[in-house]
Amino acid sequence: MVDVIIIGAGTAGLSAAIYVQRAGKKALVLEESTYGGQIINTADIENYPGIKHISGFDFATDLYNQAKDLGTTFAFEGVVKIENCEDEKVVYTTKNEYHAKAIIIATGMKRRELGIEREKELTGKGVSYCATCDGMFFRGKNVAVNGGGNVAVEDAEYLTRFCKRVYIIHRRDEFRADEAEVVKLDGKENLVKVMDSTVTKLNGDDRLHSIEVTDKNTGETKTLNVDALFVAIGQIPMNQIFSDIVELDERGFIKTDEECRTSAKGIYAAGDCRVKTVRQLTTAASDGAIAALNACNNL
């Protein structure tokens, strides 16, 4: 039995752990893979107040070490089910069963896939969802990025530093990314914008060697000879295993009030997994603090 179980070790989850421990309570963080969440794949963070520049890996590692030094317990196990009993909460993982007085769900989101033929087959063989993880494997080669949000634009700018040519493919006529990120693409001589287009086919035997791109307006297709395709077309929440306990919206995000309380007493949600308008590093940290303090105050 611990005071608060936190599901997810991203920015929201780690921030929650810090605040639970500082409130004099005991936090257990359950994480399926590794600490950090999506931010660990970001090469350079420039929008966190008080920190001009820091890599996503360093930011996440600092958070993890801070939570750990305060006494947080970590178990790297996937959660498969939770029960909201009258006097306690029970969390079942792939290995164990844990009991707590409150739960904070901070599962974040996962990368959205293209959903086209051969995508899974070529993943890791030219198809990637993390430019900062795999980009250096393609130094001096032609690559493509699919997407128009902040992640896609940041990935494209990062890849231009060492790749021969970078195509950025977006289904609309303008990017959805922040203007501050978009302007970084200006003047990049090795960057080619392919707008109003989608990736419709992946070509290659053992590895990706080209992609087919279709113009949404004309239906015209063309082939781009690339050694890698980095997919950055958005993310989806990972909340289905909680749908019988807390209320979700039509897209699968957890409904909460401003205090991060869900429809189930004693269960809170923090970060990108909950219904919200702004999903930024600062709001994830804020959610973690709010959820933790409310959980501790209401034990």
Side-chain angles (χ1 to χ4, degrees), residues 116-138:
I116 62 177
E117 190 177 353
R118 304 198 65 204
E119 181 176 6
K120 293 187 183 297
E121 178 186 347
L122 291 172
T123 296
K125 300 175 182 179
V127 175
S128 172
Y129 303 88
C130 178
T132 54
C133 303
D134 301 328
M136 290 300 292
F137 291 120
F138 303 95

Side-chain angles (χ1 to χ4, degrees), residues 7 13 26 30 45 52 74 88-89 119-120 132 137 144 172 218 232 251 261 274 297 299:
I7 305 173
K26 184 61 181 175
L30 300 174
I45 297 169
K52 289 185 177 181
F74 288 86
E88 64 181 15
K89 320 298 178 188
E119 181 176 6
K120 293 187 183 297
T132 54
F137 291 120
R172 298 178 181 174
T218 65
R251 297 183 299 161
R261 292 182 291 236
R274 77 181 187 97
N297 290 337
L299 288 180

Side-chain angles (χ1 to χ4, degrees), residues 42-281:
T42 299
D44 188 20
I45 297 169
E46 297 180 310
N47 61 352
Y48 197 87
I51 303 176
K52 289 185 177 181
H53 293 279
I54 190 171
S55 72
F57 177 82
D58 288 342
F59 180 87
T61 300
D62 288 347
L63 268 184
Y64 170 75
N65 287 332
Q66 185 177 359
K68 191 175 181 180
D69 291 345
L70 286 168
T72 302
T73 301
F74 288 86
F76 292 94
E77 305 167 14
V79 172
V80 295
K81 181 183 178 182
I82 64 175
E83 288 183 358
N84 187 17
C85 302
E86 185 175 349
D87 298 323
E88 64 181 15
K89 320 298 178 188
V90 185
V91 179
Y92 299 90
T93 72
T94 51
K95 298 179 180 179
N96 293 295
E97 172 184 322
Y98 299 96
H99 297 248
K101 300 172 186 176
I103 292 174
I104 298 174
I105 302 171
T107 48
M109 298 189 290
K110 68 176 181 179
R111 303 272 187 177
R112 188 183 300 277
E113 298 178 350
L114 288 169
I116 62 177
E117 190 177 353
R118 304 198 65 204
E119 181 176 6
K120 293 187 183 297
E121 178 186 347
L122 291 172
T123 296
K125 300 175 182 179
V127 175
S128 172
Y129 303 88
C130 178
T132 54
C133 303
D134 301 328
M136 290 300 292
F137 291 120
F138 303 95
R139 177 183 289 273
K141 297 184 178 181
N142 295 335
V143 302
V145 176
N146 189 197
N150 281 338
V151 173
V153 171
E154 290 169 6
D155 285 353
E157 192 279 330
Y158 169 71
L159 292 167
T160 60
R161 303 175 195 178
F162 50 84
C163 291
K164 182 179 180 181
R165 176 169 294 178
V166 178
Y167 298 95
I168 181 165
I169 305 156
H170 185 39
R171 61 190 177 90
R172 298 178 181 174
D173 60 356
E174 60 182 21
F175 296 114
R176 294 181 291 105
D178 297 338
E179 184 62 24
E181 299 301 328
V182 175
V183 295
K184 294 179 182 179
L185 301 181
D186 295 342
K188 298 287 185 179
E189 296 182 357
N190 60 338
L191 182 120
V192 179
K193 298 176 183 178
V194 185
M195 310 302 285
D196 288 318
S197 300
T198 58
V199 178
T200 49
K201 189 177 180 181
L202 305 173
N203 303 313
D205 297 322
D206 296 332
R207 295 193 60 83
L208 182 75
H209 64 62
S210 67
I211 60 175
E212 179 187 88
V213 177
T214 301
D215 187 296
K216 291 184 62 180
N217 298 322
T218 65
E220 179 185 355
T221 64
K222 61 182 176 182
T223 298
L224 302 179
N225 295 317
V226 295
D227 293 290
L229 170 65
F230 296 95
V231 181
I233 55 174
Q235 300 169 321
I236 55 176
M238 300 181 287
N239 298 323
Q240 286 308 307
I241 61 172
F242 312 123
S243 60
D244 60 336
I245 299 294
V246 299
E247 187 177 359
L248 309 181
D249 73 357
E250 66 280 0
R251 297 183 299 161
F253 291 95
I254 300 173
K255 292 184 177 181
T256 67
D257 62 12
E258 292 185 359
E259 303 301 317
C260 293
R261 292 182 291 236
T262 71
S263 57
K265 185 177 180 181
I267 299 180
Y268 303 80
D272 290 350
C273 67
R274 77 181 187 97
V275 175
K276 57 194 301 187
T277 302
V278 179
R279 290 184 170 85
Q280 294 289 323
L281 204 56

